[in-house]
Amino acid sequence: DAKTTQPNSMESNEEEPVHLPCNHSTISGTDYIHWYRQLPSQGPEYVIHGLTSNVNNRMASLAIAEDRKSSTLILHRATLRDAAVYYCILRGPSSSNTGKLIFGQGTTLQVKP
Amino acid sequence: GAVVSQHPSWVICKSGTSVKIECRSLDFQATTMFWYRQFPKQSLMLMATSNEGSKATYEQGVEKDKFLINHASLTLSTLTVTSAHPEDSSFYICSARPRGGYTFGSGTRLTVV
């Protein structure tokens, strides 16, 4: 799976939007962009994923660059409960490889009250 | 949504003993499960892929005789840390892939004293 690059850490104020960037310049045409987050002492949880078009769900929005070499996870109004490590991961289609999900270092998001 | 139940949530054991961690898919069948290990301040590291009815596939550098994986049914995979030593102290997390994204267990904090 292609590699992703994320900032080590970011800070945000409560109730403000947060934009978490991810670079994936070696992404292939069939790679999906997945975002997971991990709260302290818990397993990761799914946030959102997309292929080419921007995606929205109740948790966040995913903005994907036109060339797909980067993407941005958008939390519209950060809360203290959003403080977590956010992982941007590329995954091939379900039919490919063994289905492994490989984690990078992620971005640690701190939310200040 | 799909739930993966992991037990125990924490365990303390003496050096030289073995510890079993269970991972159950509660409302779906999982032919494949994934086991991760996470040291403090680090990302998740994939240890092995557990396959129902067949041998697990281990990542490079992971000792298969030390980390025994059994996936005897479509809803249960177990990881046994044999002859545990203090350096095996870590956060162990299982995962499965129902339709859609990946679902993770809540993790097991293992402390070997």
Side-chain angles (χ1 to χ4, degrees):
Chain A
D1 293 312
K3 184 177 177 179
T4 63
T5 304
Q6 300 176 252
N8 287 333
S9 63
M10 290 186 66
E11 281 187 1
S12 170
N13 294 317
E14 197 176 10
E15 299 191 2
E16 290 187 356
V18 182
H19 291 232
L20 297 165
C22 180
N23 287 319
H24 29 78
S25 58
T26 59
I27 190 171
S28 75
T30 56
D31 282 340
Y32 284 78
I33 303 160
H34 287 247
W35 283 83
Y36 285 79
R37 72 179 186 181
Q38 185 179 25
L39 279 64
S41 298
Q42 294 186 29
E45 63 174 341
Y46 169 81
V47 177
I48 201 167
H49 78 283
L51 183 62
T52 55
S53 303
N54 294 344
V55 185
N56 299 296
N57 66 21
R58 62 177 182 80
M59 287 183 70
S61 295
L62 176 59
I64 301 173
E66 197 169 332
D67 64 3
R68 300 207 331 124
K69 292 182 184 295
S70 66
S71 61
T72 302
L73 178 70
I74 303 166
L75 306 179
H76 295 286
R77 287 183 68 226
T79 70
L80 297 179
R81 290 175 296 178
D82 291 322
V85 180
Y86 287 79
Y87 296 98
C88 168
I89 305 170
L90 301 184
R91 265 281 294 139
S94 298
S95 59
S96 73
N97 63 51
T98 60
K100 298 187 290 188
L101 202 62
I102 305 299
F103 286 78
Q105 291 306 306
T107 296
T108 300
L109 174 66
Q110 293 181 321
V111 180
K112 296 182 289 186
Chain B
V3 175
V4 169
S5 177
Q6 185 173 345
H7 293 280
S9 56
W10 61 269
V11 58
I12 301 172
C13 72
K14 292 185 177 180
S15 275
T17 61
S18 296
V19 173
K20 180 185 286 188
I21 302 169
E22 291 189 349
C23 185
R24 294 181 185 272
S25 56
L26 294 187
D27 47 6
F28 66 99
Q29 293 182 333
T31 56
T32 301
M33 288 190 179
F34 306 93
W35 287 95
Y36 293 83
R37 179 168 56 179
Q38 185 176 33
F39 293 107
K41 305 291 185 185
Q42 294 187 24
S43 185
L44 284 78
M45 185 195 79
L46 181 65
M47 299 175 67
T49 302
S50 165
N51 304 299
E52 186 269 333
S54 65
K55 291 182 179 180
T57 304
Y58 290 82
E59 295 299 304
Q60 192 171 8
V62 178
E63 300 175 59
K64 64 176 74 173
D65 294 330
K66 179 166 185 62
F67 299 100
L68 300 180
I69 290 174
N70 184 280
H71 195 154
S73 79
L74 287 171
T75 59
L76 174 64
S77 175
T78 62
L79 168 68
T80 301
V81 182
T82 63
S83 186
H85 291 284
E87 56 265 32
D88 298 322
S89 298
S90 188
F91 192 51
Y92 292 85
I93 306 167
C94 65
S95 172
R97 188 171 54 135
R99 291 191 177 183
Y102 292 74
T103 298
F104 291 82
S106 54
T108 298
R109 176 79 57 195
L110 171 63
T111 302
V112 184
V113 297

